[in-house]
Amino acid sequence: MAGTGSLMNEQRGKIRYWKRYFSLLMIGVCLGGAGMIFWYGHQLEELMLENRSLKLVNERLYKDLASLKQTQKAAQKRQDAVIELIRVQIDEPKPHAIIETEVIRRLEKDLAPLKGKKAEQLVELPPLLHELLRRREYVIEGNMVEVRLKTVVIVSRVLSLTVTAEVKHDGTS
């Protein structure tokens, strides 16, 4: 019987031995889990702070964008393209220099009322100008000069016209 008691003590020792390791394992699991939760909570808190700061930055940028759009609209209203200059060029065949200069001067004088008009208003202008200048005639230096419009270009604040000037007859004939 002496052998059975020692066998029982030996089994109890093995059970205590496993209980000890199992309890150490459970304590390690609990401490590790607590550490992971602490680390995860810390990371989550940092992300929440970053999210809040990004929301504030986003809100500020939206306000800046809205104010920039308003400023741009106001600047665009102030800066509507207005015709400030009328440029006339005479295409081939070029008449005598005096006639060319006088035709340019008279055309610029005739088209002067277009200065100060908005470029958007002048979108329908080319057909109208073609009709007006289809057979415009000037008497210059005793010569009848017929002016015909070839092209109309509106660039920024400049109205550019290209015309032909044909001397019909000499006043000396």
Side-chain angles (χ1 to χ4, degrees):
M1 277 272 198
T4 15
S6 72
L7 188 59
M8 291 255 272
N9 282 338
E10 201 175 301
Q11 284 179 349
R12 282 187 192 162
K14 284 184 180 180
I15 291 174
R16 281 187 193 163
Y17 176 76
W18 285 108
K19 281 183 182 179
R20 208 179 294 154
Y21 284 115
F22 183 73
S23 53
L24 285 175
L25 176 69
M26 292 308 289
I27 290 172
V29 167
C30 289
L31 288 176
M36 288 298 292
I37 288 174
F38 177 75
W39 177 77
Y40 179 74
H42 180 70
Q43 293 294 324
L44 188 62
E45 185 177 346
E46 284 182 8
L47 287 174
M48 288 171 58
L49 290 173
E50 185 178 351
N51 188 24
R52 186 179 302 152
S53 70
L54 288 174
K55 281 182 181 178
L56 292 173
V57 168
N58 191 25
E59 197 174 293
R60 182 177 49 91
L61 289 175
Y62 270 120
K63 287 179 183 177
D64 290 349
L65 181 64
S67 69
L68 284 174
K69 283 182 180 179
Q70 288 177 348
T71 305
Q72 184 181 17
K73 284 180 184 178
Q76 190 174 12
K77 285 180 182 178
R78 283 192 312 266
Q79 201 177 37
D80 280 336
V82 176
I83 299 298
E84 294 177 355
L85 181 64
I86 297 174
R87 235 181 236 151
V88 179
Q89 293 178 324
I90 297 183
D91 204 14
E92 298 297 328
K94 289 197 181 261
H96 189 271
I98 294 172
I99 294 175
E100 181 179 355
T101 306
E102 188 62 24
V103 166
I104 291 172
R105 187 187 68 75
R106 287 190 185 182
L107 277 174
E108 286 177 350
K109 182 181 176 188
D110 288 347
L111 297 173
L114 296 177
K115 286 184 180 177
K117 302 286 183 194
K118 290 183 180 179
E120 295 107 23
Q121 293 175 337
L122 302 179
V123 169
E124 297 174 5
L125 184 68
L128 179 65
L129 282 176
H130 277 285
E131 191 63 33
L132 286 173
L133 298 176
R134 183 171 48 141
R135 293 191 60 122
R136 178 69 58 125
E137 294 177 342
Y138 296 110
V139 177
I140 301 171
E141 301 272 326
N143 297 317
M144 179 65 71
V145 180
E146 184 178 322
V147 177
R148 291 187 181 173
L149 183 65
K150 283 183 81 175
T151 61
V152 177
V153 178
I154 301 172
V155 177
S156 184
R157 297 180 171 161
V158 178
L159 173 64
S160 293
L161 302 168
T162 304
V163 297
T164 59
E166 183 180 336
V167 178
K168 284 295 188 180
H169 60 81
D170 208 1
T172 58
S173 307

